[in-house]
Amino acid sequence: MSNPKSRPESWIAAIALSAICLISLGNVVVRYTTNASFAFTEEFSVFLLVVLTFAGAAVAARHNEHIRITFIEDKLPLFWRRILLIAQAFFSLILLSLITWYGGLLTYEEYQWESLSPGLGYPTWIYLIWLPILSLAMMYRLLQSLIERLKLADTGADQ
């Protein structure tokens, strides 16, 4: 397979992981030197973990590296393999569409209600907006991967 591009998601995932490491390390150092901890670290860490998960999933979708069992897929004739690839993408897109819709709805409701986070008092929509945005990124990368996989299936190349 060629070297597919998914740089924005890769950078977002790398930044989120780095920030989680730095926040956690800082919290550990402060806890052991002062017997206190930063209260905000859990709030940021959970938010960054969600961002990391969705950005990493978008990268995995683009590179066709999600965990799956390919035994049946590899044994199918070309016609049925194409049907299976399209069905996999279709059901994945349905799930991601639901996540995007309900994540967007939740974000909008939190914006309307002016809800604040319990730890730092930031508006919660700032944390939630990343869910539908990164779900859309996953959908886009999934479609890119499907097109490439269908082309590979047509040429008979192994994936």
Side-chain angles (χ1 to χ4, degrees), residues 5-132:
K5 302 293 184 208
S6 56
R7 287 198 178 115
E9 297 92 344
S10 296
W11 278 102
I12 290 171
I15 290 168
L17 182 59
S18 299
I20 290 170
C21 291
L22 290 174
I23 289 170
S24 298
L25 178 65
N27 193 30
V28 168
V29 169
V30 168
R31 189 174 339 124
Y32 282 110
T33 57
T34 66
N35 286 333
S37 68
F38 293 136
F40 71 91
T41 58
E42 183 179 348
E43 189 172 305
F44 279 151
S45 294
V46 169
F47 159 68
L48 290 170
L49 189 58
V50 171
V51 169
L52 173 64
T53 301
F54 275 82
V59 172
R62 179 61 185 108
H63 291 272
N64 191 28
E65 293 178 346
H66 277 290
I67 296 172
R68 66 180 183 278
I69 299 171
T70 61
F71 178 76
I72 295 173
E73 181 181 314
D74 293 341
K75 303 290 185 205
L76 289 175
L78 177 61
F79 174 78
W80 290 108
R81 183 181 299 169
R82 289 177 58 85
I83 297 294
L84 180 63
L85 293 177
I86 292 168
Q88 288 170 349
F90 175 74
F91 289 113
S92 297
L93 288 171
I94 287 175
L95 177 67
L96 290 169
S97 296
L98 290 171
I99 291 171
T100 301
W101 173 257
Y102 286 111
L105 188 62
L106 177 62
T107 301
Y108 180 68
E109 288 174 351
E110 292 292 311
Y111 176 78
Q112 272 187 321
W113 296 334
E114 299 177 357
S115 298
L116 302 176
S117 64
L120 294 172
Y122 290 150
T124 53
W125 71 267
I126 293 172
Y127 299 128
L128 295 173
I129 192 73
W130 291 96
L131 181 66

